[in-house]
Amino acid sequence: MINEIKKDAQTRMAKSIEALRHTLIKVRTGRASTALVEHLKVSYYGSDMPLSQVASVVVADARSLTITPWEKNMVGPVEKAILASDLGLTPNTAGTTIRLNLPALTEERRKELSKVVHGEGEDTKVAIRNIRRDANQQIKDLLKDKTITEDDVRRAEEEIQKLTDKSIKDVDDVVKAKEQELMAV
């Protein structure tokens, strides 16, 4: 029973870290990446579709993306989706090809994005600590039901704390790597 609780906590902590990685991909660094626009929704015949399902997105060079819709009539809706997004980018259209030029990040913008990255990291740490609290509560409930001993509880809580410490260190590593990526000129 204790092992199931530990496994569940470990799985949930790993998912939190993976969600953080996924979130940080969307934070714009000075380098072009298809992940910047993959989450955009485009109106496609009345329903919202991910950009990757209506167009091909290619990194043209370090500071620009090229988006080529598969249908000619989709150029307008793709442009609208980019303009409506929070990316702050203006699309340049030539025929059926949309080009996004990423300006170099200013020092001020880098610091703002660094704060965003830190905030996401802190939110993930809070989620991990909540998972630890839930697991410890489940273990204490087992003690109340007299299915385990107090020694088992102490050992299990120590192991869950080790899992928590490792997960928080992983979060710090992910945040630090993203910050270095942001600060690299």
Short mmCIF file of all heavy atoms in Angstrom, two decimals, residues 17-54:
data_model
loop_
_atom_site.label_atom_id
_atom_site.label_comp_id
_atom_site.label_asym_id
_atom_site.label_seq_id
_atom_site.Cartn_x
_atom_site.Cartn_y
_atom_site.Cartn_z
N ILE A 17 6.80 18.22 -13.53
CA ILE A 17 8.03 18.70 -14.13
C ILE A 17 7.90 18.71 -15.66
O ILE A 17 8.33 19.65 -16.33
CB ILE A 17 9.23 17.83 -13.68
CG1 ILE A 17 9.46 18.04 -12.18
CG2 ILE A 17 10.49 18.17 -14.47
CD1 ILE A 17 10.40 17.05 -11.55
N GLU A 18 7.25 17.68 -16.21
CA GLU A 18 7.05 17.63 -17.66
C GLU A 18 6.14 18.77 -18.11
O GLU A 18 6.37 19.38 -19.16
CB GLU A 18 6.43 16.26 -18.04
CG GLU A 18 6.69 15.84 -19.46
CD GLU A 18 8.13 16.04 -19.91
OE1 GLU A 18 9.07 15.57 -19.24
OE2 GLU A 18 8.33 16.68 -20.96
N ALA A 19 5.12 19.09 -17.33
CA ALA A 19 4.23 20.20 -17.66
C ALA A 19 5.01 21.52 -17.64
O ALA A 19 4.79 22.40 -18.48
CB ALA A 19 3.06 20.26 -16.67
N LEU A 20 5.93 21.66 -16.68
CA LEU A 20 6.78 22.86 -16.62
C LEU A 20 7.62 22.97 -17.90
O LEU A 20 7.69 24.04 -18.50
CB LEU A 20 7.69 22.81 -15.39
CG LEU A 20 8.74 23.92 -15.30
CD1 LEU A 20 8.07 25.27 -15.09
CD2 LEU A 20 9.73 23.63 -14.18
N ARG A 21 8.24 21.87 -18.29
CA ARG A 21 9.05 21.88 -19.52
C ARG A 21 8.20 22.32 -20.72
O ARG A 21 8.63 23.12 -21.54
CB ARG A 21 9.64 20.50 -19.79
CG ARG A 21 10.82 20.17 -18.93
CD ARG A 21 11.55 18.93 -19.43
NE ARG A 21 12.69 18.67 -18.59
CZ ARG A 21 12.75 17.70 -17.68
NH1 ARG A 21 11.74 16.87 -17.55
NH2 ARG A 21 13.82 17.54 -16.94
N HIS A 22 6.99 21.76 -20.79
CA HIS A 22 6.09 22.07 -21.90
C HIS A 22 5.71 23.56 -21.89
O HIS A 22 5.66 24.21 -22.93
CB HIS A 22 4.85 21.20 -21.81
CG HIS A 22 3.93 21.33 -22.97
ND1 HIS A 22 4.24 20.84 -24.22
CD2 HIS A 22 2.72 21.93 -23.09
CE1 HIS A 22 3.26 21.13 -25.06
NE2 HIS A 22 2.32 21.79 -24.40
N THR A 23 5.47 24.10 -20.71
CA THR A 23 5.13 25.51 -20.57
C THR A 23 6.30 26.40 -20.96
O THR A 23 6.13 27.41 -21.65
CB THR A 23 4.70 25.83 -19.13
OG1 THR A 23 3.60 24.99 -18.79
CG2 THR A 23 4.27 27.28 -18.98
N LEU A 24 7.50 26.04 -20.54
CA LEU A 24 8.67 26.87 -20.80
C LEU A 24 9.07 26.87 -22.28
O LEU A 24 9.73 27.80 -22.72
CB LEU A 24 9.85 26.44 -19.93
CG LEU A 24 9.68 26.70 -18.43
CD1 LEU A 24 10.95 26.33 -17.67
CD2 LEU A 24 9.29 28.13 -18.14
N ILE A 25 8.66 25.85 -23.02
CA ILE A 25 8.95 25.83 -24.46
C ILE A 25 8.31 27.04 -25.13
O ILE A 25 8.86 27.62 -26.06
CB ILE A 25 8.43 24.52 -25.11
CG1 ILE A 25 9.36 23.37 -24.76
CG2 ILE A 25 8.32 24.65 -26.61
CD1 ILE A 25 8.87 22.02 -25.21
N LYS A 26 7.15 27.45 -24.61
CA LYS A 26 6.42 28.56 -25.22
C LYS A 26 7.02 29.93 -24.90
O LYS A 26 6.68 30.92 -25.53
CB LYS A 26 4.96 28.54 -24.76
CG LYS A 26 4.21 27.31 -25.22
CD LYS A 26 2.83 27.28 -24.63
CE LYS A 26 2.15 25.97 -24.94
NZ LYS A 26 0.94 25.78 -24.18
N VAL A 27 7.91 29.98 -23.89
CA VAL A 27 8.55 31.25 -23.55
C VAL A 27 9.58 31.55 -24.63
O VAL A 27 10.48 30.76 -24.89
CB VAL A 27 9.22 31.19 -22.16
CG1 VAL A 27 9.98 32.47 -21.87
CG2 VAL A 27 8.17 30.97 -21.09
N ARG A 28 9.42 32.71 -25.25
CA ARG A 28 10.23 33.05 -26.41
C ARG A 28 11.64 33.46 -26.00
O ARG A 28 11.83 34.37 -25.21
CB ARG A 28 9.57 34.20 -27.17
CG ARG A 28 10.28 34.54 -28.46
CD ARG A 28 9.41 35.41 -29.30
NE ARG A 28 9.35 36.78 -28.81
CZ ARG A 28 10.15 37.75 -29.23
NH1 ARG A 28 11.08 37.51 -30.10
NH2 ARG A 28 9.99 38.96 -28.77
N THR A 29 12.60 32.77 -26.57
CA THR A 29 13.99 33.18 -26.40
C THR A 29 14.37 33.92 -27.68
O THR A 29 13.54 34.11 -28.55
CB THR A 29 14.91 31.96 -26.21
OG1 THR A 29 14.76 31.10 -27.34
CG2 THR A 29 14.57 31.20 -24.94
N GLY A 30 15.60 34.32 -27.83
CA GLY A 30 16.00 35.04 -29.03
C GLY A 30 16.09 34.16 -30.26
O GLY A 30 16.30 34.62 -31.36
N ARG A 31 15.91 32.87 -30.08
CA ARG A 31 16.07 31.90 -31.15
C ARG A 31 14.71 31.40 -31.65
O ARG A 31 13.81 31.18 -30.85
CB ARG A 31 16.90 30.76 -30.57
CG ARG A 31 17.23 29.63 -31.45
CD ARG A 31 18.20 28.70 -30.77
NE ARG A 31 19.53 29.25 -30.56
CZ ARG A 31 20.41 29.47 -31.53
NH1 ARG A 31 20.08 29.25 -32.78
NH2 ARG A 31 21.60 29.94 -31.26
N ALA A 32 14.58 31.22 -32.95
CA ALA A 32 13.32 30.75 -33.53
C ALA A 32 13.10 29.28 -33.19
O ALA A 32 14.02 28.48 -33.21
CB ALA A 32 13.34 30.95 -35.04
N SER A 33 11.85 28.95 -32.90
CA SER A 33 11.48 27.56 -32.61
C SER A 33 10.03 27.36 -33.04
O SER A 33 9.18 28.23 -32.83
CB SER A 33 11.63 27.30 -31.12
OG SER A 33 10.99 26.10 -30.78
N THR A 34 9.73 26.21 -33.62
CA THR A 34 8.36 25.93 -34.05
C THR A 34 7.41 25.85 -32.86
O THR A 34 6.21 26.08 -33.00
CB THR A 34 8.28 24.62 -34.85
OG1 THR A 34 8.78 23.55 -34.04
CG2 THR A 34 9.09 24.70 -36.14
N ALA A 35 7.94 25.56 -31.68
CA ALA A 35 7.12 25.46 -30.47
C ALA A 35 6.45 26.79 -30.12
O ALA A 35 5.45 26.82 -29.41
CB ALA A 35 7.95 24.97 -29.30
N LEU A 36 7.01 27.90 -30.62
CA LEU A 36 6.42 29.21 -30.34
C LEU A 36 5.00 29.34 -30.87
O LEU A 36 4.16 30.01 -30.27
CB LEU A 36 7.26 30.32 -30.98
CG LEU A 36 8.61 30.63 -30.35
CD1 LEU A 36 9.37 31.63 -31.20
CD2 LEU A 36 8.41 31.17 -28.96
N VAL A 37 4.72 28.71 -32.01
CA VAL A 37 3.42 28.89 -32.65
C VAL A 37 2.57 27.62 -32.68
O VAL A 37 1.41 27.66 -33.08
CB VAL A 37 3.59 29.42 -34.10
CG1 VAL A 37 4.16 30.83 -34.09
CG2 VAL A 37 4.45 28.49 -34.93
N GLU A 38 3.11 26.49 -32.22
CA GLU A 38 2.36 25.23 -32.27
C GLU A 38 1.06 25.27 -31.48
O GLU A 38 0.09 24.62 -31.85
CB GLU A 38 3.22 24.07 -31.78
CG GLU A 38 4.21 23.60 -32.81
CD GLU A 38 5.14 22.52 -32.27
OE1 GLU A 38 5.13 22.27 -31.06
OE2 GLU A 38 5.87 21.95 -33.08
N HIS A 39 1.03 26.04 -30.40
CA HIS A 39 -0.16 26.08 -29.54
C HIS A 39 -1.26 27.00 -30.08
O HIS A 39 -2.36 27.01 -29.56
CB HIS A 39 0.22 26.52 -28.12
CG HIS A 39 0.69 27.94 -28.05
ND1 HIS A 39 1.93 28.32 -28.47
CD2 HIS A 39 0.06 29.06 -27.63
CE1 HIS A 39 2.06 29.63 -28.31
NE2 HIS A 39 0.94 30.11 -27.79
N LEU A 40 -0.97 27.77 -31.14
CA LEU A 40 -1.96 28.69 -31.69
C LEU A 40 -3.13 27.93 -32.31
O LEU A 40 -2.94 26.91 -32.98
CB LEU A 40 -1.33 29.59 -32.76
CG LEU A 40 -0.27 30.57 -32.30
CD1 LEU A 40 0.25 31.38 -33.48
CD2 LEU A 40 -0.82 31.49 -31.24
N LYS A 41 -4.34 28.44 -32.09
CA LYS A 41 -5.54 27.85 -32.68
C LYS A 41 -5.97 28.69 -33.87
O LYS A 41 -6.05 29.91 -33.77
CB LYS A 41 -6.67 27.79 -31.65
CG LYS A 41 -6.35 26.94 -30.44
CD LYS A 41 -6.45 25.48 -30.76
CE LYS A 41 -6.30 24.64 -29.50
NZ LYS A 41 -5.54 23.44 -29.72
N VAL A 42 -6.27 28.03 -34.99
CA VAL A 42 -6.67 28.71 -36.21
C VAL A 42 -8.10 28.30 -36.53
O VAL A 42 -8.45 27.12 -36.46
CB VAL A 42 -5.73 28.31 -37.39
CG1 VAL A 42 -6.15 28.99 -38.67
CG2 VAL A 42 -4.30 28.65 -37.05
N SER A 43 -8.93 29.28 -36.90
CA SER A 43 -10.30 28.99 -37.27
C SER A 43 -10.30 28.28 -38.64
O SER A 43 -9.93 28.86 -39.65
CB SER A 43 -11.11 30.28 -37.34
OG SER A 43 -12.43 29.99 -37.73
N TYR A 44 -10.71 27.02 -38.64
CA TYR A 44 -10.68 26.21 -39.86
C TYR A 44 -12.08 25.68 -40.12
O TYR A 44 -12.54 24.76 -39.44
CB TYR A 44 -9.68 25.07 -39.67
CG TYR A 44 -9.47 24.19 -40.87
CD1 TYR A 44 -8.79 24.66 -41.98
CD2 TYR A 44 -9.96 22.89 -40.89
CE1 TYR A 44 -8.57 23.86 -43.07
CE2 TYR A 44 -9.77 22.08 -41.99
CZ TYR A 44 -9.06 22.57 -43.08
OH TYR A 44 -8.86 21.77 -44.19
N TYR A 45 -12.78 26.30 -41.06
CA TYR A 45 -14.16 25.93 -41.40
C TYR A 45 -15.04 25.84 -40.16
O TYR A 45 -15.74 24.85 -39.93
CB TYR A 45 -14.20 24.62 -42.18
CG TYR A 45 -13.49 24.71 -43.51
CD1 TYR A 45 -12.29 24.05 -43.72
CD2 TYR A 45 -14.01 25.47 -44.55
CE1 TYR A 45 -11.62 24.14 -44.94
CE2 TYR A 45 -13.34 25.58 -45.77
CZ TYR A 45 -12.16 24.91 -45.96
OH TYR A 45 -11.50 25.01 -47.16
N GLY A 46 -14.96 26.86 -39.31
CA GLY A 46 -15.85 26.95 -38.17
C GLY A 46 -15.35 26.30 -36.89
O GLY A 46 -15.96 26.45 -35.85
N SER A 47 -14.26 25.54 -36.93
CA SER A 47 -13.74 24.95 -35.69
C SER A 47 -12.28 25.35 -35.50
O SER A 47 -11.57 25.60 -36.47
CB SER A 47 -13.87 23.42 -35.73
OG SER A 47 -13.08 22.90 -36.76
N ASP A 48 -11.88 25.44 -34.26
CA ASP A 48 -10.50 25.84 -33.96
C ASP A 48 -9.58 24.63 -34.06
O ASP A 48 -9.80 23.63 -33.38
CB ASP A 48 -10.41 26.45 -32.56
CG ASP A 48 -10.99 27.86 -32.52
OD1 ASP A 48 -11.21 28.44 -33.60
OD2 ASP A 48 -11.20 28.37 -31.41
N MET A 49 -8.57 24.76 -34.89
CA MET A 49 -7.60 23.68 -35.09
C MET A 49 -6.22 24.18 -34.70
O MET A 49 -5.91 25.36 -34.88
CB MET A 49 -7.57 23.26 -36.56
CG MET A 49 -8.88 22.78 -37.12
SD MET A 49 -9.36 21.20 -36.46
CE MET A 49 -8.29 20.12 -37.38
N PRO A 50 -5.34 23.30 -34.20
CA PRO A 50 -3.95 23.71 -33.94
C PRO A 50 -3.28 24.09 -35.26
O PRO A 50 -3.54 23.49 -36.30
CB PRO A 50 -3.31 22.46 -33.35
CG PRO A 50 -4.43 21.59 -32.92
CD PRO A 50 -5.60 21.93 -33.79
N LEU A 51 -2.40 25.08 -35.20
CA LEU A 51 -1.71 25.57 -36.40
C LEU A 51 -1.01 24.44 -37.14
O LEU A 51 -1.03 24.39 -38.37
CB LEU A 51 -0.71 26.66 -36.02
CG LEU A 51 0.09 27.27 -37.16
CD1 LEU A 51 -0.82 27.99 -38.15
CD2 LEU A 51 1.13 28.23 -36.64
N SER A 52 -0.43 23.50 -36.40
CA SER A 52 0.33 22.40 -37.03
C SER A 52 -0.55 21.49 -37.88
O SER A 52 -0.04 20.75 -38.71
CB SER A 52 1.04 21.58 -35.96
OG SER A 52 0.10 21.07 -35.04
N GLN A 53 -1.89 21.58 -37.72
CA GLN A 53 -2.79 20.73 -38.52
C GLN A 53 -3.30 21.43 -39.77
O GLN A 53 -3.96 20.80 -40.59
CB GLN A 53 -3.96 20.25 -37.67
CG GLN A 53 -3.53 19.27 -36.60
CD GLN A 53 -4.70 18.71 -35.82
OE1 GLN A 53 -5.86 18.87 -36.20
NE2 GLN A 53 -4.39 18.06 -34.72
N VAL A 54 -3.02 22.74 -39.91
CA VAL A 54 -3.49 23.45 -41.11
C VAL A 54 -2.34 24.03 -41.93
O VAL A 54 -2.56 24.55 -43.01
CB VAL A 54 -4.49 24.58 -40.75
CG1 VAL A 54 -5.75 24.01 -40.13
CG2 VAL A 54 -3.86 25.63 -39.87
#
